[in-house]
Amino acid sequence: MQRYLKVIKLFWSAAIAAEMEYRVNFVIATLSSVGNLAGSLFSLFLFYRTGYTFSGWQWEAALIVVGIYTLLQGFSETFLAPNLNRIVRHVQEGTLDFVLLKPIHSQFWLSSHTISPWGVSDLIFGSIIIIYAGNRLGLGITDYLASIPPLFFGLIILYSLWFMLGATSIWFVKIYNVTEVLRGLIEAGRYPMVAYPAAFRIFFTFVVPVAFLTTIPAEAMLGRSQIVWVIGAGILALVLFFVSSRFWRFALRFYTSASS
């Protein structure tokens, strides 16, 4: 474990140093984050402006879902997209050979090699929205802490799904559109699941588990989540992480080295 932590420190320090050479990108990323957040708030406002509320979700409670979704976006832009979107390029250009030859687990290398600071603005804005809504609702520190386990499980679920889609590039080289479809589906998480018809709620819970990414952590923060859903999120996260690791090993059996 200590060895891997040292490797991550080297990876991320080099990645941040390289990214900071283009500091204007941070301004652009911040403006993009403001635009995305404004769009989320405006679309939510369209529902609530006439006094309508999602069943059991007042305005401030729905804001917490938006804040968690924004945090999720920041996590994706900071850790997932810079690494997992490059799996396709490694396969296309044959540089995956060099990754496989390194004395370190290839999945770990592909998942943690770089980091992008341009998602930090989303992390900040998401936290501000959550704290603002939480103060309006009178939430305490224990309420915020209660949402950490399901939120962590949600991040593992998202990573596992994204990594498995990236691994399919070994068979289907042009897989960018599939990852964009996943990101599009995840956008459904910006609203509580009760905002959707029953059929969509089933789909976003048991087929594409978007509910485990935003709604369940928000319910845990609000003190209304049933423990069975939190346990289910943990089991799903462990299963998907295990499956992603096995799937990667299975996919490598079909990888044809660029040098062979």
Side-chain angles (χ1 to χ4, degrees):
M1 179 62 69
Q2 186 176 4
R3 175 194 174 202
Y4 280 86
L5 290 176
K6 289 182 179 179
V7 171
I8 287 179
K9 182 179 179 180
L10 292 174
F11 281 167
W12 289 1
S13 59
I16 292 175
E19 292 287 351
M20 292 307 294
E21 293 181 6
Y22 309 95
R23 299 181 183 180
V24 70
N25 287 351
F26 183 76
V27 177
I28 297 174
T30 302
L31 293 176
S32 177
S33 298
V34 171
N36 291 332
L37 181 58
S40 298
L41 294 175
F42 178 73
S43 58
L44 186 65
F45 171 76
L46 293 178
F47 288 102
Y48 284 84
R49 66 187 178 87
T50 59
Y52 170 83
T53 60
F54 299 134
S55 178
W57 292 84
Q58 62 188 94
W59 168 255
E60 289 80 6
L63 279 182
I64 288 181
V65 177
V66 173
I68 292 177
Y69 171 79
T70 306
L71 283 179
L72 195 71
Q73 288 286 94
F75 174 79
S76 299
E77 294 299 325
T78 303
F79 299 101
L80 300 186
N83 290 294
L84 304 187
N85 285 350
R86 294 186 179 183
I87 297 177
V88 180
R89 186 188 307 172
H90 285 304
V91 175
Q92 288 178 332
E93 299 177 358
T95 52
L96 183 60
D97 292 8
F98 301 105
V99 176
L100 298 176
L101 291 174
K102 295 182 183 298
I104 194 171
H105 196 287
S106 58
Q107 182 174 353
F108 172 83
W109 194 99
L110 291 169
S111 302
S112 62
H113 181 257
T114 189
I115 187 175
S116 174
W118 315 133
V120 172
S121 54
D122 278 325
L123 295 174
I124 294 174
F125 292 144
S127 300
I128 291 174
I129 292 294
I130 292 173
I131 293 173
Y132 166 78
N135 287 338
R136 294 292 299 270
L137 293 170
L139 300 183
I141 186 65
T142 55
D143 298 308
Y144 293 112
L145 292 177
S147 67
I148 292 179
L151 181 59
F152 175 75
F153 296 147
L155 297 178
I156 298 298
I157 290 171
L158 177 60
Y159 160 77
S160 302
L161 293 174
W162 202 326
F163 184 83
M164 285 190 285
L165 284 177
T168 59
S169 61
I170 289 179
W171 294 282
F172 313 104
V173 178
K174 295 182 179 179
I175 202 68
Y176 288 109
N177 291 336
V178 176
T179 56
E180 289 303 315
V181 169
L182 175 64
R183 298 180 72 168
L185 290 172
I186 292 171
E187 288 189 6
R190 71 176 67 197
Y191 307 119
M193 284 295 105
V194 296
Y196 302 99
F200 286 91
R201 291 201 296 268
I202 294 174
F203 177 81
F204 287 128
T205 302
F206 301 105
V207 180
V208 181
V210 176
F212 291 96
L213 305 182
T214 56
T215 299
I216 291 178
E219 289 180 337
M221 187 180 298
L222 296 169
R224 61 174 73 162
S225 177
Q226 298 179 5
I227 189 63
V228 65
W229 285 106
V230 177
I231 295 175
I235 293 174
L236 181 61
L238 288 174
V239 169
L240 286 178
F241 184 79
F242 175 79
V243 171
S244 70
S245 179
R246 291 295 181 179
F247 184 74
W248 175 243
R249 295 181 184 180
F250 173 75
L252 288 179
R253 298 178 186 177
F254 298 87
Y255 174 67
T256 301
S257 173
S259 60
S260 62

